[in-house]
Amino acid sequence: MVTIKDVAREAGVSVATISRVLNDNGYVGSDTRKKVMEAIAKLNYSPNEVARSLYKRESRLIGLLLPDITNPFFPQLARGVEDELSRSGFRLLLGNSDENVQKELDYIQTFVQNNVVGIISATNHVDYKIYDALKLPLVLLDRTSEDYPAVYSDGREGGRLAARTLIEKGAKRITLVKGPAHVKPAQDRFQGAIEELSQADIDFSVLSSTSYSFEEAQGWAEELFEKFSDTDGVIASNDIVGIAIIHEALKLGKKIPEDLQIIGYDDIPQSSLCYPTLSTIRQPAYEMGRQAAQLLIKMVKKEQGIEHTIQMPVELVERNTTRKE
Amino acid sequence: MVTIKDVAREAGVSVATISRVLNDNGYVGSDTRKKVMEAIAKLNYSPNEVARSLYKRESRLIGLLLPDITNPFFPQLARGVEDELSRSGFRLLLGNSDENVQKELDYIQTFVQNNVVGIISATNHVDYKIYDALKLPLVLLDRTSEDYPAVYSDGREGGRLAARTLIEKGAKRITLVKGPAHVKPAQDRFQGAIEELSQADIDFSVLSSTSYSFEEAQGWAEELFEKFSDTDGVIASNDIVGIAIIHEALKLGKKIPEDLQIIGYDDIPQSSLCYPTLSTIRQPAYEMGRQAAQLLIKMVKKEQGIEHTIQMPVELVERNTTRKE
DNA sequence: TTGAAAGCGCTACCAT
DNA sequence: ATGGTAGCGCTTTCAA
């Protein structure tokens, strides 16, 4: 390992001088600077971030906590975060919590132990106490909060929009699939849908799905048609479930969207690749990730007048599981 | 921040003693140990990993370099890596390279600067020189290599299997979709398929797709049917492309699998959720991630008799885009 | 404009 | 069995 001392020796100056040119502060004579630059290049030196971090008590690392990167909504978020972060030279320490408080605690702890300069958390099973004790800038992602800065999309409006769309397009016996109770955004969209549905002259039923995993989605879909076989409009708790429902409906010989309309939530990439393509409420996941990263960076830099929460708009994406006019 | 000194003061012993109980080495009297434990608990102390890392010249961090977490094959890999790594107390520094050599270099550099104890790389646009200079344990993932330890699945056999399956199931005019030339595993499966196809009495054509992105997959699908409209069997370069092809075929009114059989590659989660469900060659992505992590950990621990490469088996998953006997 | 040296929090060696 | 202390690689005073 080549250290600052080696560079100092090579350039014939002190380590203090090397540090000055590295960080571009303090006075350095132009010929001295040149010598130093040459030595750095010659030895192919790059400073040890760990030593830096120890002294300054802060690294260039940011902790990102996700429920599960394997759920197709999150890679987009993660990518948005990373792209924005790396523009400012920050790197990502990644953890999957599986909505498990213990794992969440463990990750938060190692983030702190590694001097991360801030944390972005997209978990739902949040134990507030963890975060209250934290001295670090924190941004909640895909999650509303009055207590902490947060970036999320308008779930209630999304739910309303989904319901309104199905109503307008003539569905008469709507089934609303509710997501897991502990997942806050799932509840928001559910409430929004209920609201809209309640105001309309329309029959509807609620099916409760308690997870979002691929494996179980098919189970919910089967259950849905067993319990509500005559439904002609389904508001899915998210796109994964929506796609599973398409699948199951076709298996049962239903015509989409003639017999049955389906609307999903999220607009994950595969929603435009399934058949028929899934109409859905789009959350701008990548953009949400970017915004969260931007917000966090501002907090880290202690900029003034930072937004406390950023609500992103949702949007109806009409594809082929809903009727054209 | 509470440091080892605070704990020492609280417990009325020296920092050396604290360090001993922390690392469980050297002699510590049982009552002293007890006092120390109490002080640690009382102050809610947890050691600064950065200071540790600086002294020991190695952290508990591992760098994971992926082409793009947004591609649905990779979250599985990443999760396998993480789950295995975290069992041994390691944490993940994550980077997406976009197959861009400069980004790859940047990430590798910051990995090193942060004292990572090893690197797992799943990139294809590898600049060997980067890795040659590395003093760190390195495992290549989803990638064959004679020069470095690697974990990958048997792409050639996978390609053969895909072709054999279509031939056996009676496809007569097969179209083979070739993946991007710079993606090594894509070439392996392509070669395998060519091999098998060449040995059979069968007509086939090759369509070259130069990317794997969702956005472009549809384009390849359209192109495929423009150029080879009478094909009755498609070997897709991966599942994303396979799903796009299903989609396009249905749009054109083709019956699957009667008129057209399709076989994908990877077995990403959504392949069992599309309609009809996609027959495919499964790569055990999660397991590959785990194996890579295990291998790396062994290297880090300098265990003896470590495998140099691990080839994982591929497997035909028969679903509904191929005919039943 | 430059250098010497203290110190970030920890580990490990050498004393005792 | 325990304590003192040097030193990991760096940044930042303070002096010169």
Side-chain angles (χ1 to χ4, degrees):
Chain A
M1 179 186 240
V2 21
T3 76
I4 201 172
K5 276 189 187 169
D6 301 319
V7 181
R9 194 176 312 117
E10 176 72 29
V13 298
S14 77
V15 296
T17 301
I18 308 295
S19 178
R20 283 189 196 102
V21 346
L22 244 29
N23 298 286
D24 210 25
N25 58 21
Y27 297 94
V28 181
S30 64
D31 43 347
T32 308
R33 159 168 273 111
K34 189 154 158 287
K35 272 192 304 183
V36 171
M37 300 295 267
E38 284 167 3
I40 288 175
K42 179 171 176 199
L43 300 182
N44 192 22
Y45 166 77
S46 83
N48 181 324
E49 276 297 329
V50 176
R52 234 175 216 189
S53 170
L54 178 59
Y55 184 87
K56 305 182 73 166
R57 291 189 178 84
E58 92 181 21
S59 69
R60 301 290 284 169
L61 263 25
I62 288 193
L64 175 63
L65 197 56
L66 258 34
D68 181 9
I69 191 77
T70 264
N71 175 325
F73 180 67
F74 293 108
Q76 308 277 337
L77 276 187
R79 200 56 157 94
V81 169
E82 198 212 296
D83 286 357
E84 192 61 33
L85 242 37
S86 64
R87 285 160 44 98
S88 302
F90 293 103
R91 300 282 129 148
L92 219 53
L93 223 36
L94 177 72
N96 291 109
S97 74
D98 292 320
E99 309 277 11
N100 170 327
V101 178
Q102 189 53 50
K103 285 195 189 182
E104 181 157 354
L105 276 164
D106 289 348
Y107 271 111
I108 300 283
Q109 185 180 22
T110 54
F111 288 168
V112 171
Q113 290 180 303
N114 281 285
N115 277 6
V116 299
V117 72
I119 293 178
I120 296 178
S121 173
T123 63
N124 287 291
H125 242 152
V126 173
D127 183 344
Y128 275 104
K129 282 175 292 182
I130 313 174
Y131 295 102
D132 283 338
L134 227 51
K135 294 280 173 292
L136 261 39
L138 167 72
V139 172
L140 263 19
L141 180 52
D142 186 33
R143 197 160 179 306
T144 59
S145 168
E146 283 111 50
D147 304 326
Y148 303 101
V151 175
Y152 54 90
S153 72
D154 192 347
R156 186 165 293 247
E157 173 58 20
R160 275 194 228 108
L161 190 53
R164 201 182 312 140
T165 302
L166 241 40
I167 294 168
E168 282 172 3
K169 291 185 181 294
K172 297 298 178 206
R173 293 173 306 281
I174 290 181
T175 306
L176 174 56
V177 182
K178 192 178 95 176
H182 66 271
V183 178
K184 197 60 172 24
Q187 290 317 300
D188 289 347
R189 68 185 76 154
F190 175 72
Q191 288 304 333
I194 283 279
E195 235 171 70
E196 193 77 23
L197 250 17
S198 305
Q199 288 171 4
D201 296 318
I202 205 155
D203 296 338
F204 70 94
S205 344
V206 172
L207 177 79
S208 185
S209 71
T210 56
S211 92
Y212 273 157
S213 75
F214 279 108
E215 295 72 26
E216 296 180 55
Q218 202 186 337
W220 310 127
E222 288 167 8
E223 192 180 335
L224 184 144
F225 290 113
E226 279 163 23
K227 292 191 175 161
F228 312 108
S229 59
D230 66 337
T231 186
D232 67 350
V234 176
I235 302 172
S237 45
N238 71 0
D239 283 355
I240 296 178
V241 173
I243 292 171
I245 290 169
I246 295 179
H247 193 167
E248 185 65 19
L250 292 178
K251 216 188 267 174
L252 296 173
K254 295 184 188 280
K255 293 245 178 310
I256 301 173
E258 293 79 3
D259 301 345
L260 176 68
Q261 300 188 77
I262 301 167
I263 190 157
Y265 206 102
D266 284 348
D267 194 25
I268 58 177
Q270 39 274 55
S271 296
S272 51
L273 276 185
C274 61
Y275 183 84
T277 52
L278 180 66
S279 297
T280 191
I281 305 300
R282 172 176 169 72
Q283 289 196 73
Y286 180 81
E287 195 53 38
M288 287 164 66
R290 289 196 47 197
Q291 293 286 344
Q294 279 182 18
L295 182 52
L296 188 66
I297 290 172
K298 284 185 196 165
M299 292 169 66
V300 167
K301 293 185 179 164
K302 298 192 199 314
E303 289 184 13
Q304 296 299 308
I306 303 173
E307 320 85 308
H308 184 258
T309 55
I310 300 179
Q311 191 182 62
M312 310 283 291
V314 294
E315 177 191 358
L316 172 65
V317 181
E318 287 198 57
R319 287 199 276 248
N320 296 323
T321 56
T322 47
R323 298 185 203 140
K324 313 293 176 217
E325 291 329 296
Chain B
M1 177 187 242
V2 22
T3 76
I4 200 171
K5 276 190 186 169
D6 301 319
V7 180
R9 196 177 310 117
E10 175 71 30
V13 298
S14 77
V15 296
T17 301
I18 308 295
S19 177
R20 280 186 200 104
V21 346
L22 245 29
N23 298 285
D24 210 27
N25 59 21
Y27 298 95
V28 181
S30 63
D31 44 345
T32 308
R33 161 168 272 114
K34 190 155 156 286
K35 272 192 304 184
V36 171
M37 299 296 266
E38 284 166 5
I40 288 175
K42 180 173 175 196
L43 301 181
N44 193 21
Y45 166 77
S46 83
N48 181 322
E49 277 297 329
V50 176
R52 241 178 209 184
S53 171
L54 177 60
Y55 183 87
K56 305 181 71 165
R57 290 191 179 83
E58 93 181 21
S59 69
R60 299 291 284 170
L61 264 25
I62 287 190
L64 175 63
L65 196 55
L66 258 32
D68 181 9
I69 190 77
T70 263
N71 175 325
F73 179 67
F74 294 108
Q76 308 276 338
L77 276 188
R79 199 55 156 96
V81 170
E82 199 212 297
D83 285 357
E84 193 60 33
L85 241 36
S86 64
R87 283 160 46 96
S88 302
F90 293 102
R91 301 281 130 150
L92 219 53
L93 223 37
L94 177 71
N96 291 108
S97 74
D98 292 320
E99 309 277 11
N100 169 327
V101 178
Q102 189 54 51
K103 285 194 190 183
E104 182 156 355
L105 275 165
D106 288 349
Y107 271 110
I108 300 282
Q109 185 180 22
T110 54
F111 288 167
V112 172
Q113 289 181 303
N114 282 285
N115 277 6
V116 298
V117 71
I119 292 178
I120 296 178
S121 173
T123 63
N124 287 293
H125 242 151
V126 172
D127 183 344
Y128 275 104
K129 281 176 292 183
I130 313 175
Y131 295 101
D132 282 339
L134 227 51
K135 293 282 173 289
L136 261 39
L138 166 72
V139 172
L140 263 19
L141 180 52
D142 186 34
R143 197 160 179 307
T144 58
S145 168
E146 283 112 50
D147 305 326
Y148 303 101
V151 175
Y152 53 90
S153 72
D154 191 346
R156 186 165 292 247
E157 173 58 21
R160 274 194 230 110
L161 190 52
R164 201 182 313 139
T165 302
L166 242 39
I167 294 169
E168 281 173 4
K169 291 186 182 293
K172 298 295 178 206
R173 295 172 305 280
I174 290 180
T175 306
L176 173 56
V177 183
K178 192 178 94 175
H182 67 271
V183 178
K184 196 62 172 24
Q187 290 318 300
D188 289 346
R189 67 185 77 153
F190 175 73
Q191 289 304 333
I194 284 279
E195 234 171 72
E196 193 77 24
L197 250 18
S198 304
Q199 288 173 4
D201 296 316
I202 206 154
D203 295 339
F204 70 95
S205 344
V206 171
L207 177 79
S208 186
S209 71
T210 56
S211 91
Y212 273 157
S213 75
F214 280 108
E215 295 72 28
E216 297 180 54
Q218 203 185 336
W220 309 126
E222 287 167 8
E223 191 179 336
L224 184 143
F225 291 112
E226 279 163 23
K227 293 191 175 162
F228 311 109
S229 60
D230 67 338
T231 186
D232 66 351
V234 176
I235 302 172
S237 45
N238 72 359
D239 283 355
I240 297 178
V241 173
I243 292 172
I245 290 169
I246 295 179
H247 194 168
E248 185 66 18
L250 292 178
K251 216 188 266 175
L252 296 174
K254 295 184 187 279
K255 293 246 177 312
I256 300 173
E258 293 78 4
D259 299 349
L260 176 68
Q261 300 188 78
I262 301 168
I263 190 157
Y265 206 103
D266 282 349
D267 194 26
I268 58 178
Q270 40 275 53
S271 296
S272 51
L273 277 184
C274 62
Y275 184 85
T277 51
L278 179 65
S279 297
T280 191
I281 305 299
R282 171 176 170 72
Q283 288 196 73
Y286 180 81
E287 196 53 38
M288 287 164 67
R290 289 195 48 197
Q291 293 286 345
Q294 280 182 18
L295 182 52
L296 188 66
I297 291 171
K298 284 185 197 166
M299 292 168 67
V300 167
K301 293 185 178 166
K302 298 192 198 314
E303 290 185 11
Q304 295 300 308
I306 303 172
E307 319 85 306
H308 185 260
T309 54
I310 300 178
Q311 190 181 62
M312 310 282 292
V314 294
E315 179 190 358
L316 171 65
V317 181
E318 288 198 58
R319 287 198 277 249
N320 296 322
T321 56
T322 47
R323 298 184 204 141
K324 315 290 179 219
E325 289 328 297

